[in-house]
Amino acid sequence: MGFCKLVIALGGNALQEAGAPATAEAQLEVVKKTCEYIADISCKGYEIAIVHGNGPQVGRILMASKAAENITPPMPFDVCGSMSQGYIGYHIQQSLRRALDKRNKKVPVVTLITQAVVDKDDPAFKNPTKPIGAFYTKEEADKLKTEKGYVMKDDSGRGWRRVVASPVPKRIVELPAVKVLWDSTICVAAGGGGIPVVEQEDGSLKGVAAVIDKDLAAERLAEDMNADILMILTEVEKAAINFNKPNQVDLGHITVAEAEKYMGEGHFAAGSMLPKIEAAVMFAKANPSHKAIITSLYKAVDALEDKTGTIITLNK
């Protein structure tokens, strides 16, 4: 196999284990296992970049900052996002370097603190939907609305939480650096979807309180790098229609048109599989030679060999 450019989007289960303590130490142990699979992919000759989520992590950073506000000023949301990129990237760098060393592959691994430009007029800003941070009572939520200008919503009857927008990433600011490093280095980039920033009139960038979907950020990176494959790793081996119903059908190799049909029929959950299918379709549409794969971490190598996974291409 010749060199093949691959962008990997890591799902939450690649960083944290369900039921495990929410500590940095527990996360590192999961990341060590995850990186064994990524090292196997690298050793098969793929040139890779890694994108990861950060939902639980950035939430904990926010809550820690809030809890300590009587001692030190709370950090703004965009700064918390950058902090999560740094420590998750550090865990991946350390673990992947160790896994590659065991396989006698000498390639550097580096994390880029990555900004993603979003449109200040993105419709998502008018309808924030992503809950972040702690739960509050109705009275506390009303106070935060008044004092901080936060948008607060009831979260399934469990309490009130701050919600932020989930805009579409338009441009990855550090893309030129990824291009320079690509041939020699495994880059961890656009962590948590990237730090959302908007362009000011003078051309400068300003961080905003928002969460970019990491699958869409991975698609943006893959498309801009002209990668051959976008691989989105999640908890299931294949996407499915009629999920969790008696007539569930696991999807193998499907076309963009088929995927769009299934999306239109409402087969994919908005907070779960839908953004993965959307990202896969966007990538496959961009170039007839592109391939998008949705599968589990444990089946990643098999999926790259067309043995499993949901594979989406423009044509059969």
Side-chain angles (χ1 to χ4, degrees):
M1 183 193 76
F3 288 113
C4 181
K5 287 184 176 181
L6 168 66
V7 172
I8 299 173
L10 293 178
N13 65 319
L15 302 177
Q16 285 194 324
E17 200 169 77
T23 63
E25 292 81 4
Q27 175 178 289
L28 180 58
E29 290 308 307
V30 175
V31 172
K32 284 178 181 176
K33 296 172 188 174
T34 294
C35 285
E36 295 290 335
Y37 293 93
I38 297 175
D40 285 341
I41 292 170
S42 177
C43 288
K44 287 187 174 293
Y46 290 92
E47 296 179 346
I48 64 177
I50 299 166
V51 177
H52 61 78
N54 72 340
Q57 293 85 357
V58 76
R60 287 198 293 273
I61 292 170
L62 276 167
M63 287 190 286
S65 186
K66 171 70 177 171
E69 66 181 352
N70 293 329
I71 302 169
T72 185
M75 294 290 182
F77 187 72
D78 57 324
V79 173
C80 292
S82 69
M83 292 167 71
S84 72
Q85 281 192 6
Y87 99 80
I88 296 170
Y90 155 62
H91 279 174
I92 294 172
Q93 285 176 204
Q94 189 182 81
S95 302
L96 185 53
R97 186 59 270 138
R98 175 175 170 271
L100 290 167
D101 280 344
K102 288 196 312 189
R103 292 158 176 78
N104 201 32
K105 180 158 187 177
K106 307 301 178 185
V107 57
V109 185
V110 67
T111 297
L112 295 176
I113 303 301
T114 312
Q115 304 167 90
V117 174
V118 299
D119 186 345
K120 69 181 188 322
D121 296 320
D122 190 303
F125 286 110
K126 294 179 181 176
N127 181 32
T129 57
K130 289 281 186 179
I132 57 168
F135 289 88
Y136 298 93
T137 64
K138 178 71 165 62
E139 293 73 21
E140 290 170 331
D142 288 340
K143 188 177 179 184
L144 286 168
K145 281 183 190 178
T146 303
E147 293 182 357
K148 304 274 191 180
Y150 292 170
V151 178
M152 307 294 292
K153 291 185 180 179
D154 178 65
D155 189 339
S156 304
R158 297 180 297 171
W160 290 73
R161 298 178 78 188
R162 183 185 178 189
V163 291
V164 297
S166 184
V168 175
K170 296 293 185 184
R171 176 170 66 86
I172 293 173
V173 177
E174 286 72 25
L175 183 71
V178 178
K179 288 182 175 179
V180 169
L181 292 166
W182 186 278
D183 290 341
S184 61
T185 305
I186 295 175
C187 289
V188 182
I195 305 160
V197 294
V198 294
E199 290 180 309
Q200 307 284 77
E201 287 185 9
D202 63 359
S204 63
L205 300 172
K206 181 182 179 181
V208 292
V211 175
I212 296 173
D213 185 274
K214 70 101 175 40
D215 298 314
L216 296 182
E219 191 284 328
R220 183 75 272 154
L221 179 64
E223 193 174 326
D224 290 346
M225 284 302 305
N226 195 27
D228 301 288
I229 301 172
L230 169 64
M231 172 173 270
I232 299 173
L233 298 179
T234 184
E235 294 184 8
V236 294
E237 186 173 338
K238 294 181 179 182
I241 57 174
N242 302 312
F243 183 66
N244 264 350
K245 296 177 182 176
N247 58 339
Q248 175 176 321
V249 177
D250 293 341
L251 301 173
H253 190 173
I254 60 173
T255 64
V256 163
E258 289 171 316
E260 289 179 328
K261 174 177 175 286
Y262 296 141
M263 281 194 290
E265 292 170 352
H267 283 286
F268 309 116
S272 178
M273 187 56 71
L274 182 60
K276 295 169 177 52
I277 297 289
E278 287 175 335
V281 165
M282 288 168 66
F283 183 70
K285 263 186 171 179
N287 190 312
S289 68
H290 284 176
K291 177 194 290 187
I293 301 171
I294 299 171
T295 194
S296 71
L297 171 69
Y298 317 108
K299 295 292 184 177
V301 172
D302 285 345
L304 286 167
E305 296 172 354
D306 292 336
K307 294 176 181 176
T308 190
T310 298
I311 298 170
I312 301 176
T313 53
L314 188 59
N315 306 300
K316 278 291 189 185

